[in-house]
Amino acid sequence: MAKRRILKKDISYVAGDLFSEALVCMLYIPGVDSAKADVVMARILDMQDEFIRRANRPDGKDNKARVKEYYNKLLADLQAEVNAIATEIGELSK
C-alpha cells in the first residue's frame, strides 16, 4: 500500500461520484421513488465511513505480507460494494 491518504481520498471521490449519480437520478428523472433514492444515498455514506475506517486500521502492522493482503481484500470489497450500489442506482431509473 503506497499511501493510506491517497486510498482514503479515492474512497471519498468514488463515494462522492455515486452520491451525485443518485442525487441526479432522484432530482431529474421523473418517476423515481425518492424514498428508495434516500436509502441508496444513506448506504453510500455508510459505505464511505466504513471503508475509510477500515483503511485506517490494518491488521498485523509488523507483518508486511499480512498488511498487503489486508489492503488487497479492502480494495476487492470496495469494488464489490461500488458495483452493488451502481446496480441499485441503475434500478432506480427503471
Side-chain angles (χ1 to χ4, degrees):
M1 186 76 246
K3 297 219 184 252
R4 268 189 288 188
R5 177 177 52 94
I6 294 171
L7 175 63
K8 291 189 291 186
K9 283 185 178 183
D10 288 344
I11 291 168
S12 294
Y13 290 143
V14 168
D17 288 345
L18 287 171
F19 193 86
S20 297
E21 276 297 316
L23 190 62
V24 166
C25 186
M26 182 177 78
L27 295 176
Y28 295 113
I29 297 177
V32 172
D33 185 15
S34 62
K36 288 182 181 178
D38 288 340
V39 169
V40 171
M41 289 189 282
R43 181 176 174 193
I44 293 167
L45 295 176
D46 291 340
M47 181 259 323
Q48 179 183 8
D49 291 341
E50 175 192 349
F51 281 99
I52 288 178
R53 179 186 47 80
R54 284 177 58 187
N56 282 329
R57 301 184 191 256
D59 291 337
K61 290 184 179 182
D62 298 331
N63 188 349
K64 289 188 180 198
R66 193 168 177 195
V67 170
K68 185 174 181 176
E69 180 182 318
Y70 177 82
Y71 281 114
N72 286 336
K73 181 174 177 355
L74 177 89
L75 291 173
D77 291 347
L78 177 65
Q79 185 64 44
E81 185 71 17
V82 166
N83 289 340
I85 290 172
T87 302
E88 283 186 31
I89 292 172
E91 293 294 321
L92 287 176
S93 63
K94 290 184 179 178

